[in-house]
Amino acid sequence: MFLGQIQGLFMTMRLWDILDILVVAFFLYRIYILIRDTRATALLKGLVFLGIFTVIAGWLQLHVVSWILDKLMTVLIVALPVVFQPELRRALEQIGRGKFYVSSRVMNEVEWDHVIDDVVAATMTMSANKIGALIVFERSVGLDDRIDTGIRIEGLVSKELLGNIFIVNTPLHDGAVIIRENRVMAAGCLLPLTRDHNLSTELGTRHRAAIGMSEQADCVIVVVSEETGIVSYTYGGHIYRGQDAESLKNILRNYLVTSKPKGVSDVLQKWRPLK
């Protein structure tokens, strides 16, 4: 019976119906690509599991729970445009620029080595001259909300560009630089300060901002102290001080250089419920 219904459905399908399905599937895929590396992914996971729980509650005839969940889902649907406002705006911008339809290119190991070498060279030069710097490397969690707080650059990474950005008493000196793959996306960006009150008093605003940003995303952040010239990096809400050129290069390679593309297992891994 079920196979017969499927066969009947295919028999009634027209060529335009197939095209219609493919267009919708393509747009859903591009929307997933757009939000999969942002904090909106966690919100979407919550909505999916809330929807599943609503169906289960209805199937088990939990009337009070179903009523509460139905009302909650109605409120969430109204609130979605507000919650996803940055992602919706970015999607419209990409449609206007033609980037919505183009898949992003994955950098290879040689390209990453060039980026890391330039960043490390600039970092050590600034360390020797005691020039403060804050360099954020975007990883799987998108940082577009932080990029929007700074001045857009979207220039190729080079030690000369980074050196010019962090020249003392320039407009972009006190903010953070955000790097996405091989491009400096923006400079002068504002980062959230950590709420950890147990940090050493030696750590100033620049270090606290680096720790705070690493608490909210999986980015790795390089910090150069303006007072001492000490090079540090932060990840996962922790700071690791006293890095030299070789150790910093190895650390960045470990965090940034990927040796294999994302497969189905990686996608499924990202969709596990958060603990």
Side-chain angles (χ1 to χ4, degrees), residues 114-126 131-137 153 155-168 170 172-173 176-179 183-187 222 252:
H114 286 308
V115 171
I116 292 171
D117 287 344
D118 278 351
V119 171
V120 171
T123 299
M124 293 305 148
T125 299
M126 290 185 285
I131 298 174
L134 189 55
I135 304 172
V136 182
F137 287 91
I153 295 178
L156 291 172
V157 173
S158 69
K159 57 181 179 293
E160 293 82 8
L161 176 58
L162 292 173
N164 285 335
I165 288 174
F166 289 110
I167 291 176
V168 180
T170 58
L172 302 179
H173 168 68
V177 158
I178 297 180
I179 295 176
R183 292 193 175 273
V184 176
M185 296 303 297
V222 177
L252 293 179

Side-chain angles (χ1 to χ4, degrees), residues 220-240:
V220 57
I221 305 169
V222 177
V223 191
V224 180
S225 172
E226 192 168 6
E227 288 76 23
T228 63
I230 293 175
V231 177
S232 312
Y233 79 93
T234 66
Y235 181 79
H238 301 284
I239 186 167
Y240 306 90

Side-chain angles (χ1 to χ4, degrees), residues 42-85:
L43 297 176
L44 189 58
K45 288 180 186 178
L47 290 175
V48 170
F49 285 103
L50 189 60
I52 293 173
F53 190 58
T54 301
V55 173
I56 294 174
W59 180 63
L60 295 176
Q61 297 184 355
L62 304 176
H63 301 296
V64 176
V65 175
S66 295
W67 181 84
I68 294 174
L69 290 174
D70 286 339
K71 298 301 180 184
L72 183 59
M73 289 296 288
T74 302
V75 173
L76 288 176
I77 290 173
V78 175
L80 278 179
V82 178
V83 175
F84 289 101
Q85 184 268 337

Side-chain angles (χ1 to χ4, degrees), residues 11 22 73 97 142 180 227 274:
M11 292 294 292
L22 291 176
M73 289 296 288
R97 297 173 183 172
R180 174 180 294 162
E227 288 76 23
L274 297 175

Side-chain angles (χ1 to χ4, degrees), residues 196-213:
D196 187 354
H197 300 293
N198 297 320
L199 294 174
S200 170
T201 55
E202 296 179 3
L203 301 178
T205 304
R206 186 175 283 110
H207 293 83
R208 293 174 185 273
I211 297 171
M213 187 70 254

